[in-house]
């Protein structure tokens, strides 16, 4: 048998350490990446069959406060009291870019099917209730309504000066 040169053994140790370091980095990066939703094309193309109304939004708001606000927060910002208990963190539903990137069908699918840690609501809520929640999710990212125009204060004119009476 031939003895290996001390330099060769050192290079192998360095290479082994480098491979281990790269594997550790890959694992950390993989763990940090948010899992993607696999939404079927037919779900993406679904349209909300309900018409937006104040009653639908109110019903959805009540459902949301009971089922969703603990994680997504009262205003959908992903800052509910239980949000930090989950990985990944709940989505910020008020983010316009996020909200605009999804179809109504995709939002409906996510509510219906869930994805750990988010539960599925397909069996907990009716189809109508889930579509109402789609309206509410959309409302979180809606631009704020313009403030009502206020009329300028009425112009005030100084009181007319009375001239002294003529004798």
């Amino acid at each position: 048998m031939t003895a290996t040169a001390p330099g060769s053994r050192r290079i192998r140790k360095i290479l082994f350490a480098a491979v281990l370091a790269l594997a550790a980095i890959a694992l950390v990066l993989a763990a940090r990446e948010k899992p993607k939703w696999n939404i079927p094309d037919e779900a993406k193309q679904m349209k909300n069959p309900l018409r937006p109304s104040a009653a639908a939004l109110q019903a959805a708001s009540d459902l949301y406060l009971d089922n969703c606000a603990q994680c997504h927060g009262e205003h959908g910002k992903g800052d509910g009291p239980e949000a930090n208990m989950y990985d990944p963190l709940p989505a910020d539903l008020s983010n316009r870019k996020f909200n605009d990137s999804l179809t109504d069908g995709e939002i409906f699918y996510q509510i219906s099917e869930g994805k750990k840690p988010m539960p599925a609501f397909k069996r907990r809520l009716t189809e109508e209730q889930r579509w109402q929640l789609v309206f509410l999710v959309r409302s979180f990212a809606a631009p704020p309504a313009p403030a009502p125009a206020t009329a300028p204060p009425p112009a005030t004119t100084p009181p007319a000066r009375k001239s002294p009476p003529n004798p």
Side-chain angles (χ1 to χ4, degrees):
M1 284 196 190
T2 61
T4 57
S8 176
R9 181 174 278 174
R10 186 167 189 252
I11 289 174
R12 283 193 294 170
K13 285 182 179 181
I14 291 171
L15 285 175
F16 181 71
V19 168
L20 283 178
L22 287 174
I25 290 170
L27 286 173
V28 168
L29 292 176
R32 292 189 62 186
E33 188 174 326
K34 281 192 171 184
K36 302 276 185 209
W37 286 83
N38 272 337
I39 301 175
D41 287 336
E42 59 270 11
K44 291 178 184 179
Q45 295 168 7
M46 292 176 70
K47 304 289 182 208
N48 194 333
L50 305 178
R51 292 199 167 267
S53 69
L57 271 177
Q58 183 57 53
S61 181
D62 293 342
L63 288 168
Y64 179 84
L65 290 174
D66 289 342
N67 296 286
C68 314
Q70 305 88 314
C71 298
H72 289 284
E74 188 176 338
H75 302 288
K77 295 185 180 299
D79 60 353
E82 296 179 13
N84 289 331
M85 294 172 37
Y86 298 104
D87 183 31
L89 294 172
D92 178 356
L93 306 173
S94 67
N95 179 315
R96 280 227 37 208
K97 187 176 177 184
F98 169 79
N99 206 304
D100 289 347
S101 72
L102 299 172
T103 66
D104 284 354
E106 288 173 297
I107 296 170
F108 180 80
Y109 181 89
Q110 291 175 347
I111 292 167
S112 300
E113 300 300 327
K115 182 173 189 169
K116 285 195 186 262
M118 182 177 149
F121 288 96
K122 191 176 200 169
R123 292 188 174 93
R124 296 182 191 188
L125 302 174
T126 67
E127 186 172 321
E128 180 178 8
Q129 290 172 320
R130 288 178 277 139
W131 281 116
Q132 289 170 339
L133 283 169
V134 171
F135 286 138
L136 188 68
V137 168
R138 291 282 189 218
S139 75
F140 288 140
T150 56
T156 56
T157 54
R161 292 182 81 195
K162 292 187 179 180
S163 41
N166 284 339

